[in-house]
Amino acid sequence: MIGRHDQRTIGISSLSLLVVVLLLSSCHRHTEEKARSVPDTTGLAVLKKTDLFTDSSFVESWLGAQRVDSLARIATREFYYQRNYRFAWFTPEGPSERARAFLNAIQQAAASATTEDTASWSAMTVYADSLLSSWSPDSIDASRDIGMTALYFSYTHREFEGLPEEDLQRLEWFIPRKKVDWVQMLDSSIRSAGVAVPWQGPMFHQYDRLIRVLASYRSIRASGGWQLVDPVVLMARVGDADSSIAQLRKRLLQSDDLQDTSTSDLYDDALALAIKRFRLRHGLNGEAKLDSATLRLLNLPVDSGIRTILLNLERCRWVPEDPIGRHLVVNIPAFRLYAFSDSGFAWSTRVIVGKVGTATTIFTGSIRTLVLNPTWTVPRKIVYEEIIPAQRANADYLTRNKMDLFRPSDLSHPVNPKKVDWKKAGPGSFPYIVRQRSGSWNALGRYKFLFPNSYDIYLHDTPSRQLFERSERTFSHGCIRVAQPERLARFVLSGDSLWTEERLAGELDLGKERFIPLLNKVPVSIVYFTSWVDEDGILQEREDIYGHDRKLADVLFKSTDFAPSDSNLVLLHESRE
């Protein structure tokens, strides 16, 4: 028991005896754990009479008796070791201001929980409150302090790091995650004698933006959800009036697509503009028209939007801090590339990504080389599945597409395709390389942007310009086709005075393949966000083209029933009849 005396004690031990015991046990511990680094013991020279300690045996006993996740267990053990087992949250007078600030942080996090697991958040809040509120001068023991510490590490790992690394690999996310030393962050904060505790590590900027949208969506859910829109509205035109139009106005007002708060049932120009805005931020074309695709999105339940936000908040936990300086981001579901300069967002352009069967990989790299007038060495998979069947069907296919055959040992002398037995050609019986010559016909266009990776993915131009007009652009074999390759070339070469626009144009006109090492490599991140907030503060939402949301939902929500149904539309149809 801790008494209220000048000489504070724990149990029967005086503080001076406790320090001696701790120092002796510390020496013994170092004998047993030689592999560990020596902790900082300078703080022992300035101990206050209010300093309280535990020991390694009690910490291990407590951890062994509690259900603590492995990361929090490791961090808690390391935290007390580094502090020489000094308490972090309690003094003999009671919980510290820091402990109360932590409780307040958990309560706020529970109120705006970034997961739907409200039971766990409630349990965390109740547990922290019980540790602090049940304190009395006769009830302080190390278990309370250790409990607060373990809760802190559980909270930070849960809220700001997300799923473990092995889950990310299974979810086909290969971007190295950020590394935060929570033990060091907490210990440094406590040593600084401040009240504030680092609740949040460095986060991807989308995290805070999506948190604000999440609060708004939950408020809408609490008010009854989105206004359902009767399908009869599909027949409406500008100038019409109908109760279904009033429903549509209310729905678009709820999502801030319509600014006019009128309760009119008139289909006016303001409503047409709101429809256009809604379509654009869902990745549809900018026509101000109502169609079945637009109505389906309008009538999705608000819970669907909340879950999508939660899934993308989880992805934000995995992403490193925003890069500083020039870099590129390709968001696969958005079909867009975003270029950032030293001062921030610079410009964006449309891209084409991989088809469902040949999905573009989520990873990071750095563009190191620009290739002008590239040739294209056709990947073996494409050779077997597309080139060989096409050549069998048409003996002039290779010639017409300016493709040559080479033996791997001789890349200077093409092989006559008429001397190849195409009926027998296939895996294991086709010892040739297929290469397409440089030119406007080349599948890679006039520009190719190389960043070394094991997925054989790169950015490039394309002669098939018409595909960029499509809303959904999943047409490639995995590589990323860029709508503005000339602009991207100038961007990656910026800062290199040797490569002026005139020289670049002259090199292109030569028509020969030219490799240009970049003076400064340009980081590129290929990400997958189906919900994000753009630079204008507008929520953008996209289809889950590769099914990654469904896979992540299976892990986060422990349910396969994620895809929203259209039952609400069926009910509306029946009610009208």
Side-chain angles (χ1 to χ4, degrees):
M1 181 176 74
I2 299 176
R4 290 185 167 278
H5 305 289
D6 290 338
Q7 181 106 15
R8 307 290 182 176
T9 62
I10 298 180
I12 61 172
S13 301
S14 67
L15 178 62
S16 57
L17 177 59
L18 177 60
V19 172
V20 172
V21 171
L22 283 171
L23 288 173
L24 289 174
S25 66
S26 177
C27 293
H28 177 64
R29 183 175 66 253
H30 285 303
T31 302
E32 294 179 336
E33 304 177 20
K34 293 179 181 180
R36 304 187 69 172
S37 59
V38 178
D40 178 7
T41 58
T42 56
L44 293 176
V46 290
L47 288 179
K48 300 177 182 178
K49 292 183 178 181
T50 54
D51 284 329
L52 303 176
F53 290 80
T54 182
D55 58 41
S56 60
S57 296
F58 193 89
V59 170
E60 290 302 323
S61 175
W62 188 93
L63 290 173
Q66 304 296 323
R67 290 197 309 166
V68 181
D69 66 80
S70 60
L71 290 175
R73 184 183 303 274
I74 293 169
T76 300
R77 182 182 293 117
E78 184 64 25
F79 174 75
Y80 282 105
Y81 173 77
Q82 289 188 10
R83 288 178 54 77
N84 297 292
Y85 298 92
R86 191 185 311 181
F87 279 28
W89 309 95
F90 290 87
T91 72
E93 281 70 39
S96 65
E97 291 184 54
R98 183 182 304 109
R100 299 191 185 283
F102 179 35
L103 173 60
N104 182 61
I106 294 178
Q107 290 171 336
Q108 290 181 358
S112 59
T114 57
T115 72
E116 291 289 79
D117 186 6
T118 54
S120 293
W121 280 108
S122 177
M124 291 174 72
T125 303
V126 170
Y127 179 61
D129 184 60
S130 68
L131 291 176
L132 304 186
S133 62
S134 62
W135 171 86
S136 72
D138 297 331
S139 63
I140 287 188
D141 59 61
S143 63
R144 295 176 183 275
D145 203 81
I146 300 170
M148 286 292 287
T149 300
L151 183 61
Y152 170 81
F153 290 125
S154 292
Y155 165 75
T156 52
H157 289 145
R158 174 192 181 92
E159 182 69 355
F160 305 116
E161 291 197 359
L163 295 174
E165 190 73 34
E166 55 268 24
D167 282 340
L168 271 59
Q169 301 292 316
R170 287 196 293 269
L171 292 167
E172 302 176 61
W173 185 282
F174 301 104
I175 297 176
R177 69 190 307 161
K178 63 177 179 289
K179 302 296 182 183
V180 179
D181 189 341
W182 293 105
V183 171
Q184 184 59 41
M185 286 182 67
L186 179 58
D187 188 54
S188 296
S189 173
I190 293 174
R191 286 177 180 273
S192 69
V195 174
V197 173
W199 317 124
Q200 178 174 324
M203 295 295 288
F204 183 51
H205 72 277
Q206 282 293 327
Y207 185 85
D208 289 333
R209 294 183 183 182
L210 287 173
I211 285 287
R212 290 191 287 270
V213 177
L214 178 62
S216 174
Y217 270 47
R218 282 179 167 155
S219 176
I220 290 168
R221 179 172 65 180
S223 300
W226 300 126
Q227 168 68 53
L228 286 176
V229 182
D230 194 312
V232 76
V233 78
L234 293 175
M235 296 182 290
R237 298 295 181 267
V238 174
D240 291 346
D242 186 77
S243 60
S244 64
I245 295 174
Q247 294 172 350
L248 177 61
R249 296 183 74 94
K250 181 178 179 180
R251 170 63 181 84
L252 292 172
L253 183 64
Q254 286 177 306
S255 56
D256 291 329
D257 294 293
L258 178 65
Q259 307 303 317
D260 183 1
T261 58
S262 169
T263 57
S264 167
D265 62 358
L266 179 66
Y267 192 155
D268 56 14
D269 290 339
L271 181 59
L273 183 61
I275 294 170
K276 178 179 180 179
R277 184 180 295 115
F278 179 87
R279 286 174 57 86
L280 282 172
R281 67 181 190 85
H282 283 84
L284 302 176
N285 64 43
E287 296 181 21
K289 70 174 183 179
L290 275 172
D291 56 17
S292 57
T294 308
L295 184 64
R296 182 185 72 83
L297 293 170
L298 286 165
N299 278 332
L300 287 177
V302 69
D303 276 338
S304 174
I306 288 173
R307 283 199 162 195
T308 300
I309 292 171
L310 292 173
L311 294 174
N312 288 281
L313 277 170
E314 175 65 23
R315 292 184 177 116
C316 288
R317 297 182 177 101
W318 311 338
V319 178
E321 287 183 87
D322 297 294
I324 298 174
R326 280 191 317 152
H327 65 280
L328 301 169
V329 175
V330 174
N331 187 13
I332 296 170
F335 307 112
R336 281 198 93 78
L337 175 148
Y338 303 87
F340 295 83
S341 65
D342 292 335
S343 56
F345 173 72
W347 54 277
S348 71
T349 187
R350 296 180 179 186
V351 298
I352 291 169
V353 300
K355 294 174 285 191
V356 173
T358 54
T360 299
T361 307
I362 303 165
F363 72 107
T364 58
S366 292
I367 296 177
R368 302 171 184 270
T369 306
L370 167 64
V371 185
L372 303 180
N373 299 311
T375 59
W376 180 40
T377 299
V378 185
R380 302 300 288 179
K381 182 178 175 63
I382 299 177
V383 169
Y384 296 142
E385 295 181 358
E386 299 180 27
I387 304 299
I388 291 176
Q391 181 66 19
R392 283 177 186 155
N394 186 338
D396 293 327
Y397 178 83
L398 291 179
T399 303
R400 191 174 66 249
N401 288 279
K402 297 179 172 54
M403 292 180 173
D404 298 311
L405 294 180
F406 294 93
R407 291 186 176 85
S409 59
D410 184 3
L411 298 179
S412 300
H413 301 90
V415 175
N416 187 340
K418 294 182 178 180
K419 295 183 178 181
V420 175
D421 187 348
W422 291 99
K423 291 182 179 180
K424 295 181 179 179
S429 60
F430 189 73
Y432 304 106
I433 291 172
V434 180
R435 188 169 68 190
Q436 189 176 37
R437 285 168 246 157
S438 300
S440 58
W441 53 80
N442 189 282
L444 308 184
R446 307 292 296 276
Y447 302 87
K448 180 180 177 181
F449 306 84
L450 293 177
F451 48 108
N453 61 83
S454 59
Y455 313 106
D456 197 24
I457 287 178
Y458 45 84
L459 307 175
H460 65 87
D461 183 15
T462 175
S464 304
R465 313 300 301 174
Q466 72 281 1
L467 295 178
F468 289 110
E469 300 304 315
R470 304 280 189 90
S471 294
E472 183 171 313
R473 297 185 288 277
T474 51
F475 301 110
S476 83
H477 291 89
C479 287
I480 300 164
R481 307 175 194 173
V482 184
Q484 294 180 283
E486 304 93 341
R487 189 175 189 180
L488 182 57
R490 292 195 299 270
F491 180 82
V492 300
L493 288 173
S494 61
D496 189 340
S497 59
L498 293 178
W499 282 98
T500 62
E501 288 191 33
E502 292 76 15
R503 184 183 179 189
L504 190 62
E507 197 69 38
L508 282 169
D509 289 341
L510 293 177
K512 296 181 179 180
E513 188 173 43
R514 173 68 185 272
F515 287 75
I516 305 174
L518 298 187
L519 186 63
N520 299 300
K521 62 184 180 181
V522 180
V524 55
S525 299
I526 303 173
V527 300
Y528 194 94
F529 283 91
T530 52
S531 181
W532 73 97
V533 179
D534 67 17
E535 299 302 313
D536 296 320
I538 298 172
L539 178 68
Q540 299 288 330
E541 300 176 81
R542 296 295 186 272
E543 293 291 335
D544 179 25
I545 57 174
Y546 292 160
H548 290 329
D549 276 7
R550 179 183 292 277
K551 296 171 190 173
L552 179 55
D554 288 347
V555 176
L556 285 186
F557 307 134
K558 307 299 182 186
S559 170
T560 57
D561 186 21
F562 174 62
S565 70
D566 288 335
S567 58
N568 53 340
L569 296 180
V570 174
L571 291 174
L572 275 170
H573 275 295
E574 293 174 347
S575 67
R576 294 293 293 194
E577 295 173 356

